[in-house]
Amino acid sequence: MPQIDVFEELASTSTKLLRRLARGEAVQEGYWIVADRQTAGRGRHGRSWFDGAGNFMGSTFVGQRAGDPPLSTLALVAGLAVQSTIDEQLGVGRHALLKWPNDVLVDGAKIAGILLEGAPGGVVVGIGVNLEVAPKVLGRATTALRKLGSTISRNRFAQLLADTFDREVERWRTYGLEPILGRWQAAAHPVGTPLLVGEPGEAQLEGTFAGLNPDGSLQLRLADGALRAIHAGEVNLVERN
């Protein structure tokens, strides 16, 4: 059963866990650090992570075992756990969608993000979910479960997510990556969705979503029909009028 330690304030839940691991402390799988407030939370490329009161901010550790799929694919595993937990809180006719590699959307707006960081013996998985408050992000729509009608508490959400994440990691270890890929694609935006891929300030590739490769990378179909494997990068949905 997952163990959840809640702290009133931390720089970052992932930083706290990474420092424990760096000191050689034993951290069991199923252990979570959750904070009421983060003063230096971060997302991809060191972006700050909004820490609105009542939102979920938590991190856990997954160790590497012989025969495990690549640790990088835990982003897909975490995505499934977060998407499923959020979906259970939404009303009829509304669903959370996964966006490669680490976002969860509702009605096209970001509601959650995932960040993996390498650690001694495994990886730390950091997750942020907008439960009460959605941050204002330039050029990106955001939302929160409260805005969508859910009244779930942070502590209840944390327990549900920790339980679901444990089950997903067990499936990942037991059955391998292939079924994870199929389930992830079924929970994502449809094949054919227009995408822009590229880091801010760099030239971007435009194409459509063509599913996932066997290693978990994204398949981008270019205008000439060619497929390009995307292993990392910023991915944005393109709205067609």
Side-chain angles (χ1 to χ4, degrees), residues 23-80:
R23 290 195 298 266
E25 295 184 24
V27 176
Q28 301 298 317
E29 289 190 2
Y31 173 73
W32 287 75
I33 290 178
V34 171
D36 293 335
R37 181 169 185 265
Q38 290 188 141
T39 59
R42 59 191 182 276
R44 294 185 70 244
H45 302 302
R47 296 188 183 100
S48 61
W49 181 262
F50 181 74
D51 68 342
N55 286 350
F56 174 83
M57 296 158 282
S59 299
T60 191
F61 172 73
V62 179
Q64 186 167 30
R65 302 179 188 176
D68 279 352
L71 288 178
S72 61
T73 61
L74 283 167
L76 306 178
V77 175
L80 284 168

